[in-house]
Amino acid sequence: RAKEQGRNSYQFYTEGMQDREMMRLELDKDLSQALANDEFVLFFQPQLDLQSSEINSVEALIRWQHPRRGLLSPAEFIPLAEESGRINDIGRWVVMAACQQLARWKDTPYENLRIAVNLSGRELDDENLVDHIRDTLKAEGVPANRLEVELTEEIFIQNIEHNLNQLSRLRQLGVHLAIDDFGVGYSSLGYLRDFPVDLLKIDRSFITDVTERHDDAVITRAVINLAHNLGIHVVAEGVETEDQLRFLKSHGCNLIQGYLISRPLPSEDLEMALEKGLLLPANAVN
Ligand code: C2E
Ligand code: MG
Ligand code: MG
Ligand code: MG
């Protein structure tokens, strides 16, 4: 397209950049209304326990039902929300929505499910976050051990003292802590010694070719062993094939999450799939 435009290509790109900037500004403005207009929704992706073949936990993944652009994925607005600082209010909404869901599941067949929520480093900066989580659990009458918090390794690079304190306080409440996207961050392993971690989630990039590539298989096995020797459970992310499931099961991985089991689903669809037993591939049971 730029080539066709020949001499005008410079102008073309400039306009493109202005368009993108306009779109960003517009999206940021929309984002400021989204909470008040109740436009966010949580989808839930089940995690399969490979030992019991049960689903005891789901990850909450946010979506934005944008009035004109349709359903937006987190990649399309979370980075923007982190820049503007709106992420803190969004995070509080996520915690509240997750706790309300847990409360709704009480006295139903789903009452033993745990929900994992994602929090970015920016959200952990907020001094009042832990109090908010404690108050929300209490207000909804939900035991803290039903809630899990997923954090990426970024929190072990900056503000380490502060973050360690936040995690300790969360852990004291009884909230479980998971390290998300494990293996692709730039942090040192020392934090596994210093932080109270319950769960490691092996990044999808190691799982994709784990049955074809020797190096990915070696890394995955090593992470599982490392975690287990530290008393930490392991989740494999992005599991899409039965071969991957068999590999992970044979090497003692505790849980798997990925399209093989289910895509992230609205709560009603998750409940229906659980009820109909649709989330257990035949091979997981053997
Ligand atoms: P994540 O926490 O690592 O979540 C896993 C992502 O991988 C999800 O993308 C999920 O839909 C996708 N996924 C799951 N299984 C498969 C699979 O088998 N194959 C492939 N190709 N993908 C799979 P999603 O929902 O678009 O979320 C992207 C990221 O956005 C999340 O990565 C998380 O870092 C962030 N995010 C999501 N919800 C929230 C939230 O409420 N707050 C914050 N701060 N971040 C969130
Ligand atoms: Mg996550
Ligand atoms: Mg992840
Ligand atoms: Mg991620």
Side-chain angles (χ1 to χ4, degrees):
R1 176 101 194 269
K3 202 174 173 186
E4 278 168 33
Q5 297 216 334
R7 296 186 333 179
N8 290 328
S9 64
Y10 173 71
Q11 193 184 356
F12 171 76
Y13 283 122
T14 314
E15 280 169 7
M17 277 166 59
Q18 279 170 351
D19 285 352
R20 269 202 302 282
E21 187 50 29
M22 289 282 283
M23 203 167 113
R24 253 176 58 94
L25 286 174
E26 195 191 314
L27 212 58
D28 187 52
K29 191 167 124 275
D30 296 343
L31 206 48
S32 69
Q33 312 288 320
L35 269 177
N37 294 344
D38 205 19
E39 291 167 0
F40 293 116
V41 48
L42 292 184
F43 277 31
F44 299 95
Q45 188 177 36
Q47 299 178 335
L48 179 70
D49 184 316
L50 290 177
Q51 184 133 45
S52 66
S53 296
E54 287 173 353
I55 286 160
N56 300 314
S57 50
V58 296
E59 178 176 7
L61 294 154
I62 196 170
R63 305 288 182 259
W64 179 10
Q65 186 64 64
H66 190 283
R68 295 180 310 283
R69 297 177 195 273
L71 199 64
L72 300 184
S73 69
E76 295 172 274
F77 64 91
I78 291 287
L80 194 61
E82 284 177 346
E83 269 174 55
S84 65
R86 295 192 210 290
I87 190 67
N88 289 300
D89 288 334
I90 295 175
R92 283 161 182 258
W93 178 86
V94 169
V95 167
M96 193 192 63
C99 289
Q100 287 175 343
Q101 183 61 70
L102 289 166
R104 276 196 295 274
W105 278 335
K106 221 186 279 177
D107 301 320
T108 76
Y110 320 111
E111 67 180 346
N112 290 324
L113 285 179
R114 271 178 286 122
I115 295 182
V117 298
N118 293 278
L119 294 180
S120 60
R122 178 91 197 241
E123 294 173 73
L124 210 58
D125 290 345
D126 178 359
E127 288 291 348
N128 300 317
L129 175 76
V130 179
D131 286 344
H132 172 75
I133 292 178
R134 186 201 57 208
D135 295 347
T136 308
L137 285 164
K138 198 165 173 202
E140 298 298 333
V142 172
N145 64 9
R146 298 257 85 93
L147 191 68
E148 230 163 71
V149 166
E150 296 191 1
L151 302 142
T152 58
E153 293 169 84
E154 64 169 335
I155 65 160
F156 303 117
I157 298 173
Q158 273 184 359
N159 297 334
I160 299 186
E161 199 83 354
H162 169 84
N163 290 341
L164 176 56
N165 189 259
Q166 294 280 77
L167 292 200
S168 308
R169 289 174 61 208
L170 272 176
R171 195 69 195 74
Q172 255 163 29
L173 286 182
V175 172
H176 291 192
L177 304 178
I179 304 303
D180 206 350
D181 306 344
F182 182 77
V184 297
Y186 294 92
S187 59
S188 75
L189 283 176
Y191 71 80
L192 291 178
R193 178 191 57 210
D194 302 329
F195 285 77
V197 172
D198 298 288
L199 218 58
L200 285 189
K201 301 189 72 175
I202 306 179
D203 191 70
R204 172 158 59 89
S205 59
F206 298 110
I207 305 301
T208 304
D209 296 321
V210 77
T211 56
E212 277 106 52
R213 284 185 55 157
H214 179 66
D215 47 8
D216 284 335
V218 168
I219 291 170
T220 298
R221 283 202 308 262
V223 170
I224 294 170
N225 290 332
L226 169 73
H228 285 176
N229 287 328
L230 290 168
I232 297 171
H233 279 58
V234 181
V235 184
E237 304 192 84
V239 176
E240 297 186 355
T241 71
E242 301 213 337
D243 282 347
Q244 292 165 351
L245 180 154
R246 271 190 292 275
F247 174 93
L248 291 160
K249 187 169 180 173
S250 71
H251 290 98
C253 183
N254 302 94
L255 302 151
I256 60 168
Q257 185 179 340
Y259 296 165
L260 177 67
I261 308 303
S262 170
R263 289 182 179 258
L265 300 170
S267 61
E268 313 85 60
D269 295 1
L270 172 76
E271 290 168 15
M272 196 146 74
L274 285 170
E275 193 181 333
K276 294 186 173 163
L278 296 177
L279 302 178
L280 306 173
N283 288 29
V285 185
N286 302 321

